[in-house]
Amino acid sequence: SGPYRRRAQALMPRVTGFSPATVRATLELIPLILERRALRERLRAELGREDALDAWRADPEHGGTLKAFPLGAVLHVAAGNIFLGCIDSAVMSLLTNNVTLLRTSAADPEFPALFADSLRRADKAGSVASTFSVASWPSGDKAVEDVFKRRLDGVVVWGGEGAVSAYR
């Protein structure tokens, strides 16, 4: 019930066209996404083990040892119709120690900025927030998109066929 939640609850029905009840239900998922147990379960599902980023471990199934490494600098391109998807994507990127840049959708530049600000306030040491940035540029700006495609290690695109094709 803090200021970020109240701001998002007031803002998102207008931005998304979702009912206040739908926005409220979606916002209630955020603590579940960020809860330590849930994050560990996601790591286990995605990487096979929750400690896959910590150290080399024996991999009896395949023989040898296994360790997951961050990809590097990753751009997440948000869809305009699902405001929580880009945040979930960015959280998984941060959790796996990637530098994370989130490009807002034209329809919703504010929710990602609210999330980033709340992350900065919660992360007093700056160890996570310093690797996360939110940016915006006009859709279809090929010159800007080309810079990111050349310089970043990966791109995650949320949206329709046109959005995905622009970054392919």
Side-chain angles (χ1 to χ4, degrees):
S1 64
Y4 293 104
R5 168 75 182 251
R6 288 193 307 271
R7 175 80 177 126
Q9 183 63 50
L11 178 72
M12 297 316 292
R14 179 178 45 82
V15 169
T16 64
F18 295 153
S19 71
T22 298
V23 169
R24 192 170 27 262
T26 303
L27 292 172
E28 287 171 7
L29 296 173
I30 293 174
L32 300 174
I33 290 170
L34 298 176
E35 196 271 325
R36 182 181 302 269
R37 183 184 48 76
L39 291 171
R40 286 183 172 155
E41 286 176 16
R42 297 272 305 273
L43 279 174
R44 202 170 17 259
E46 298 279 337
L47 302 176
R49 294 190 329 266
E50 68 183 59
D51 65 349
L53 294 165
D54 298 334
W56 289 95
R57 301 278 192 243
D59 182 11
E61 185 176 329
H62 300 102
T65 57
L66 173 73
K67 181 179 180 186
F69 290 92
L71 185 59
V74 180
L75 171 65
H76 296 259
V77 180
N81 61 341
I82 304 173
F83 68 94
L84 191 57
C86 64
I87 299 306
D88 185 48
S89 185
V91 165
M92 290 309 293
S93 183
L94 291 166
L95 186 62
T96 53
N97 297 324
N98 289 290
V99 172
T100 303
L101 175 63
L102 175 59
R103 184 215 178 246
T104 65
S105 71
D108 175 26
E110 294 196 45
F111 186 74
L114 279 174
F115 181 80
D117 191 40
S118 70
L119 179 62
R120 280 192 242 341
R121 286 190 170 233
D123 183 21
K124 301 294 184 208
S127 58
V128 175
S130 65
T131 65
F132 180 52
S133 186
V134 175
S136 182
W137 60 84
S139 293
D141 188 331
K142 190 145 178 55
V144 172
E145 291 167 358
D146 285 347
V147 168
F148 285 107
K149 286 191 272 187
R150 278 194 316 272
R151 301 243 172 123
L152 296 175
D153 300 304
V155 179
V156 178
V157 180
W158 297 89
E161 186 176 339
V164 172
S165 294
Y167 286 90
R168 186 166 278 143

